[in-house]
Amino acid sequence: MLRYGPVRQQQNVCNRFVQQYKKMERALHILEFFTLHEWSFGHENAVTLMEELKGQDRETFEFDVRNVNWDKYMESYVLGVRRFLLNEEEDTLPAARKKLNRIYYLTKLANLLVVMGFARLLLARSKMVRQAWRTFLFFGIQLPQMLLSR
């Protein structure tokens, strides 16, 4: 029985990947029409209508997009896509945010490591880059001292 443990664990991991893939494929299929077509909207009629509204009508039918709280709008939009298109529950949101933050910081770390590796390669291979780096560090250390001594 013990020898089948790793196989079952591997099957569970594979099943999770298959479920994630199916969810992603479904989301892509749902949003395909909206993402693959070019959309062009004119606003001339809305501007004309807004200019013609007076007094109480202007207050009742407020539709000036300059007054929209875009942060709140985008949050509502994403929550609506998750709930109504992807059929995800709201209680999965904290875990999704945590995962997104983890992916964000891992991506930043990977980018930093690539840049550091590239810089290390340049420093190891080029005498001119090494000299420029030393000069940059020297002035980076001296500048605050000079500014503080004034």
Side-chain angles (χ1 to χ4, degrees):
M1 191 70 169
L2 185 59
R3 64 181 172 197
Y4 296 120
V7 172
R8 287 199 177 112
Q9 185 179 7
Q10 187 176 9
Q11 286 175 342
N12 289 339
V13 170
C14 289
N15 286 340
R16 277 197 319 220
F17 282 128
V18 168
Q19 289 171 350
Q20 289 295 325
Y21 177 77
K22 285 181 180 179
K23 186 184 286 188
M24 185 176 59
E25 187 178 36
R26 182 172 172 270
L28 288 174
H29 179 68
I30 289 171
L31 299 172
E32 179 180 29
F33 180 78
F34 301 102
T35 57
L36 295 180
H37 290 84
E38 185 173 325
W39 302 91
S40 177
F41 297 96
H43 67 284
E44 293 81 14
N45 290 341
V47 170
T48 304
L49 180 61
M50 189 170 60
E51 289 172 354
E52 290 179 7
L53 290 176
K54 303 291 183 216
Q56 182 64 30
D57 286 342
R58 184 173 273 223
E59 291 176 20
T60 304
F61 302 107
E62 176 65 42
F63 60 91
D64 188 0
V65 295
R66 293 174 291 194
N67 299 331
V68 173
N69 180 347
W70 288 104
D71 292 333
K72 187 174 181 180
Y73 172 81
M74 287 306 295
E75 184 176 347
S76 298
Y77 172 77
V78 169
L79 290 174
V81 167
R82 285 187 53 150
R83 183 170 181 192
F84 298 109
L85 292 180
L86 303 178
N87 294 325
E88 293 183 0
E89 297 297 324
E90 287 186 33
D91 59 345
T92 63
L93 191 60
R97 283 187 173 148
K98 185 176 179 181
K99 188 182 226 180
L100 189 61
N101 279 335
R102 187 179 313 129
I103 290 170
Y104 173 79
Y105 288 116
L106 285 174
T107 303
K108 292 294 183 187
L109 178 63
N111 290 343
L112 178 65
L113 291 174
V114 167
V115 168
M116 288 176 60
F118 186 70
R120 175 76 174 111
L121 183 67
L122 281 176
L123 286 171
R125 306 248 178 203
S126 173
K127 186 176 183 179
M128 184 177 74
V129 172
R130 276 195 306 273
Q131 185 61 39
W133 177 248
R134 287 186 189 125
T135 304
F136 175 75
L137 284 179
F138 175 75
F139 284 118
I141 292 170
Q142 293 299 318
L143 183 64
Q145 292 174 355
M146 290 188 313
L147 290 175
L148 290 175
S149 66
R150 285 185 168 190

